[in-house]
Amino acid sequence: MTDVPDITLNNGVTIPQLGFGTFQINPDETRDAVLAAFEVGYRHIDTAEMYGNERGVGDAVAESGLDRDEVFVTSKLNNSFHARDDALKAFDQTMDDLRLDRLDLFLIHWPLPQVGDFVETWRALEEIYASGRCRAIGVSNFQPPHLRRLLESTETVPAVNQIEVHPYLTQDTVRAYDREHGIATEAWSPIAKGNVLSDPVIKQIADRLGRTPAQVTLRWHVQRGDIVFPKSSSPERMRENFDVFGFELTPADVEAISALNRDERTGPDPDTFNFAG
Ligand SMILES: NC(=O)c1ccc[n+]([C@@H]2O[C@H](COP(=O)([O-])OP(=O)(O)OC[C@H]3O[C@@H](n4cnc5c(N)ncnc54)[C@H](OP(=O)(O)O)[C@@H]3O)[C@@H](O)[C@H]2O)c1
């Protein structure tokens, strides 16, 4: 089985660089999808309260026969629970739904700078971390000004910042800020939900290497050092996406793919996304 490299987070906890994403997997289908991902070899699962499928992830972890220590599970605090007490309650609910005693990574899903004070939310996550029920805490969709505020006002540097990254949105500024502050970047929608797979530059590299466009794109992320967790409901594509450690892109390939950037998001802009509507 392929060995997925670990990335060491700023508190010493390690996370497999390649995981399995579960956004838009139906709650009813999540258990089977995650069990299929375990079968392929994935040992890192990314879920969120917002996805409504934490129970399915918990069922799969419980039924997998894997030791708890062999699986890395991330979940995220939903947008309506930013106040301290709500955040603590939401974490308890996440743990009940996942049926875990200890989570590996818990993130603030969106900063929502126009809605509330994410510093208060972060302090709630610091409490959770101090309780020992979560091995690492981090953020998602935070821009450098949001991170700057957290670093100035609180004690704990986020272990990760999970942001949208793919060849059409290379996120050089946020990734550089993360790197300078010891925050690991996690790239969500790593294949832009499929949008980059017919790109001629990516196709040409894939043809030359005898690989698929998805594999070339995921390999680009891996070589740039980011953590990725593509989602697929198909075991065949799960296998394809997992098989990205047996080949290498040249520096020129990495550069050519990075040059495809057009700052094009598939999801909301964190500066303006206002969940409260
Ligand atoms: N923090 C956040 O705000 C945030 C936001 C979005 C996503 N995420 C996380 O990031 C994960 C990945 O992002 P994502 O699910 O939005 O998008 P993605 O992984 O970039 O793309 C998933 C889409 O691509 C298709 N696909 C997967 N592998 C393929 C392959 N080898 N060839 C062709 N098509 C393929 C999938 O279809 P099939 O299922 O039919 O294969 C699905 O439609 C999510 O699942 C979630 O865990 C986080």
Side-chain angles (χ1 to χ4, degrees):
M1 190 179 285
T2 312
D3 268 343
V4 174
D6 280 333
I7 300 275
T8 303
L9 304 177
N10 60 16
N11 66 350
V13 165
T14 58
I15 180 172
Q17 190 178 10
L18 176 68
F20 180 69
T22 63
F23 180 45
Q24 291 177 327
I25 301 186
N26 283 337
D28 294 353
E29 293 163 11
T30 302
R31 170 190 164 276
D32 288 354
V34 174
L35 282 173
F38 285 145
E39 189 67 34
V40 168
Y42 293 88
R43 292 292 180 269
H44 160 191
I45 308 297
D46 185 86
T47 184
E49 200 274 345
M50 190 189 289
Y51 306 164
N53 58 19
E54 289 171 309
R55 278 179 180 278
V57 173
D59 288 343
V61 172
E63 291 170 38
S64 65
L66 294 167
D67 282 350
R68 176 65 191 89
D69 291 349
E70 285 181 69
V71 184
F72 192 103
V73 181
T74 301
S75 193
K76 315 185 192 86
L77 179 74
N78 206 345
N79 295 330
S80 42
F81 306 127
H82 273 211
R84 174 190 174 272
D85 292 356
D86 295 342
L88 298 181
K89 265 190 236 146
F91 180 75
D92 287 344
Q93 187 63 53
T94 279
M95 297 302 270
D96 282 352
D97 288 346
L98 287 167
R99 289 188 283 133
L100 297 178
D101 299 328
R102 184 176 42 78
L103 190 63
D104 296 294
L105 179 62
F106 194 52
L107 310 181
I108 301 179
H109 207 145
W110 287 89
L112 308 175
Q114 287 126 354
V115 174
D117 181 8
F118 54 73
V119 172
E120 175 186 342
T121 317
W122 185 244
R123 292 210 171 100
L125 264 66
E126 287 183 310
E127 283 185 53
I128 292 166
Y129 180 55
S131 76
R133 293 174 74 205
C134 187
R135 296 171 67 221
I137 51 174
V139 295
S140 179
N141 301 302
F142 273 48
Q143 303 278 49
H146 308 141
L147 291 169
R148 203 168 294 126
R149 236 193 109 215
L150 275 194
L151 298 186
E152 281 166 7
S153 347
T154 65
E155 298 299 314
T156 316
V157 177
V160 312
N161 185 18
Q162 183 177 127
I163 55 173
E164 182 176 355
V165 188
H166 45 71
Y168 293 161
L169 182 71
T170 54
Q171 293 269 33
D172 297 330
T173 307
V174 186
R175 291 174 69 257
Y177 189 94
D178 288 349
R179 200 167 36 246
E180 279 158 28
H181 295 85
I183 302 167
T185 298
E186 296 193 326
W188 63 254
S189 292
I191 57 172
K193 302 189 171 81
N195 292 351
V196 298
L197 302 183
S198 52
D199 187 280
V201 170
I202 295 174
K203 275 178 91 168
Q204 202 178 24
I205 294 170
D207 288 348
R208 194 189 82 234
L209 295 172
R211 293 285 175 162
T212 67
Q215 289 173 325
V216 164
T217 305
L218 294 168
R219 182 71 209 175
W220 170 80
H221 286 283
V222 165
Q223 290 187 211
R224 279 165 35 111
D226 290 352
I227 298 161
V228 278
F229 24 81
K231 172 263 173 188
S232 180
S233 295
S234 132
E236 200 178 306
R237 286 192 287 275
M238 289 179 200
R239 266 191 294 279
E240 175 186 335
N241 296 343
F242 195 69
D243 182 14
V244 295
F245 297 99
F247 71 105
E248 193 140 355
L249 303 176
T250 65
D253 292 335
V254 172
E255 228 170 89
I257 297 171
S258 301
L260 297 173
N261 181 49
R262 24 169 131 137
D263 291 334
E264 185 177 281
R265 294 182 184 275
T266 67
D269 182 335
D271 282 324
T272 52
F273 179 54
N274 176 354
F275 150 82

